């Protein structure tokens, strides 16, 4: 059984930092590309950042470039999203997505972790 579990969310003041973690079990983690998405109330889910299987390439939404950093530790089956200089508009539920392409896409989602940026 596959489990994708996010953690690390919470309430933080503007300008603060949080580090989200995404632990994946039940699959060979190193074969999966990992992405972080977020969904704010009343808005569609959007891609925040993505990382390849061996971490040789990353991609970021324009709104988080220079502030967020995605990384992974394949030995720990865990990916991370370091979020610095947080803004109120970063408030959302953050989801981790693990994707494998084997002729077709196989992907798994976590339950999400709430990030609230407010003074």
């Amino acid at each position: 059984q596959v489990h994708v579990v996010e953690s690390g969310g919470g309430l933080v003041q503007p300008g603060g930092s949080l580090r989200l973690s995404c632990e994946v079990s039940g699959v060979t983690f190193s074969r999966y590309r990992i992405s972080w998405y977020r969904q704010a109330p009343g808005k569609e889910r959007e891609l925040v950042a993505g990382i390849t299987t061996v971490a040789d390439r990353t991609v970021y939404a324009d709104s988080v470039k220079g502030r967020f950093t995605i990384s992974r530790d394949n030995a720990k089956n865990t990916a991370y999203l370091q979020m610095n200089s947080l803004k109120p508009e970063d408030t959302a539920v953050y989801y981790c997505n693990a994707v494998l392409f084997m002729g077709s896409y196989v992907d798994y989602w976590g339950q999400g972790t709430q990030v609230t940026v407010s003074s």
Side-chain angles (χ1 to χ4, degrees):
Q1 192 172 3
V2 181
H3 293 281
V4 179
V5 180
E6 303 98 335
S7 61
L11 173 65
V12 63
Q13 292 187 341
S17 298
L18 283 175
R19 189 175 82 153
L20 306 183
S21 297
C22 170
E23 185 172 2
V24 182
S25 60
V27 295
T28 304
F29 177 76
S30 61
R31 298 180 65 191
Y32 285 73
R33 289 185 293 176
I34 300 296
S35 297
W36 285 95
Y37 288 76
R38 67 186 180 187
Q39 187 166 19
K43 295 187 176 181
E44 293 188 354
R45 191 172 296 190
E46 64 174 353
L47 176 68
V48 176
I51 190 167
T52 52
T53 55
V54 294
D56 58 335
R57 284 184 295 169
T58 57
V59 61
Y60 296 94
D62 287 344
S63 59
V64 307
K65 281 180 181 176
R67 300 188 298 122
F68 290 11
T69 302
I70 189 171
S71 62
R72 66 189 295 159
D73 185 339
N74 286 345
K76 295 182 178 180
N77 295 341
T78 302
Y80 305 95
L81 185 68
Q82 177 67 43
M83 306 186 295
N84 299 328
S85 302
L86 282 161
K87 305 175 181 180
E89 50 264 43
D90 294 318
T91 295
V93 178
Y94 283 71
Y95 297 91
C96 180
N97 175 242
V99 176
L100 171 67
F101 182 73
M102 291 182 62
S104 61
Y105 285 100
V106 176
D107 72 328
Y108 301 99
W109 290 87
Q111 80 291 346
T113 185
Q114 176 70 48
V115 171
T116 303
V117 185
S118 175
S119 55

